[in-house]
Amino acid sequence: MSPAVLPWEGALSDPGVLTALAILLAIGIAAGIVDATTGGGGMVQIPALFALTGPAVVAIAPIMALNKVSAAAGNAVSFVRFRASPDVASPDGRTMAVALGAGLPGAVTGVWLATKLDTEQFTPLLVAALVVVLGYVLFIQPRVRVPERSGPPKSTTLVALGLGFYDGLLGPATGSILILVMQWVLGSGLRTGLATAKVVQLLFNFTGAVAYALVALPSLAAVVVLAAGNMAGGWLGSRLVIVMSDSLLRILVALGVAGAIALTVLT
């Protein structure tokens, strides 16, 4: 596939490239807000990036590399904002150690498998994953009741391995799942797991970005613009999430997943 197929690659004097970069900025801001409020920025960003590239693009590595780099930038900003709030708990060290020790190898494995796929193989997997996430958020997670814990349960290692693999392979709603998993692991409300989830998500995205970039280095201009959008959206979203209830956050997660399914299917 020629790099010129991607609409954001080419001379900055090209009006089409400038238009694509402007759209990337808007996508990044929207994804950053969603990511900071519900943890699922990829639910917006990945389907939107594929919709912007159109059906002519076959390889997924350049798109996923761009998504991972910008998402990591947004994670960093929202984490800094969360840590500045007294309503958000500090990251849990033991949980992070277990999650990253198992999750990062899983992420690399997922990226390796994703680079073997094209868009015709990737899209059905993406839709299937989003449908499963939507079902979990709507019907299973609200019924989960967990006691307070003094540390991560033993099954955290397997959960982290599977989630890291999923994030490397597909990615949408990883942040949302992480927040819900942190609730289960730490045995408390959604906000208790926000800081921990953001650190884990940041390192997942950074690992995925490096792995994808080794296959297909994304356009620098696109990285800068989309990352700036993610950072701005992450800053705005982290201000909103402080005043939202857990139930409202859960509703927003479900709406985000449903919207991502519709966008992916329709494009």
Side-chain angles (χ1 to χ4, degrees):
M1 180 192 69
S2 170
V5 172
L6 297 174
W8 51 77
E9 295 188 342
L12 293 180
S13 58
D14 184 344
V17 173
L18 291 177
T19 299
L21 291 175
I23 295 173
L24 283 182
L25 181 62
I27 291 172
I29 293 173
I33 292 174
V34 172
D35 192 74
T37 54
T38 69
M43 297 183 299
V44 172
Q45 187 156 286
I46 294 177
L49 289 177
F50 277 97
L52 179 59
T53 57
V57 174
V58 176
I60 68 170
I63 302 171
M64 295 299 289
L66 176 60
N67 169 70
K68 290 295 184 185
V69 174
S70 59
N75 294 154
V77 169
S78 57
F79 171 72
V80 171
R81 286 288 307 167
F82 285 140
R83 288 297 297 118
S85 171
D87 298 324
V88 176
S90 299
D92 183 81
R94 285 181 292 178
T95 303
M96 283 195 302
V98 173
L100 296 177
L104 294 186
V108 172
T109 304
V111 169
W112 173 83
L113 180 57
T115 58
K116 308 299 180 182
L117 304 176
D118 57 30
T119 52
E120 289 187 357
Q121 298 166 319
F122 182 83
T123 300
L125 290 176
L126 178 60
V127 173
L130 290 172
V131 169
V132 170
V133 170
L134 181 60
Y136 175 76
V137 172
L138 289 177
F139 304 112
I140 299 177
Q141 200 281 330
R143 301 181 181 181
V144 174
R145 298 292 181 270
V146 290
E148 291 285 343
R149 303 184 190 277
S150 59
K154 294 180 180 179
S155 56
T156 304
T157 300
L158 292 177
V159 172
L161 179 64
L163 192 54
F165 175 78
Y166 168 77
D167 186 69
L169 176 62
L170 297 169
T174 297
S176 301
I177 302 170
L178 265 173
I179 292 174
L180 299 177
V181 167
M182 289 303 119
Q183 181 189 22
W184 167 66
V185 169
L186 300 175
S188 188
L190 291 177
R191 283 184 179 78
T192 301
L194 274 174
T196 306
K198 284 301 170 187
V199 173
V200 175
Q201 188 181 11
L202 168 62
L203 293 177
F204 276 4
N205 279 323
F206 180 78
T207 301
V210 172
Y212 275 117
L214 292 175
V215 178
L217 193 65
S219 161
L220 178 60
V223 167
V224 170
V225 169
L226 193 58
N230 271 261
M231 293 169 69
W235 185 84
L236 291 170
S238 62
R239 294 176 64 88
L240 294 173
V241 73
I242 303 302
V243 299
M244 293 182 181
S245 66
D246 287 358
S247 59
L248 179 57
L249 287 173
R250 191 172 295 113
I251 292 172
L252 291 175
V253 172
L255 291 175
V257 177
I261 293 172
L263 181 61
T264 304
V265 170
L266 293 176
T267 56

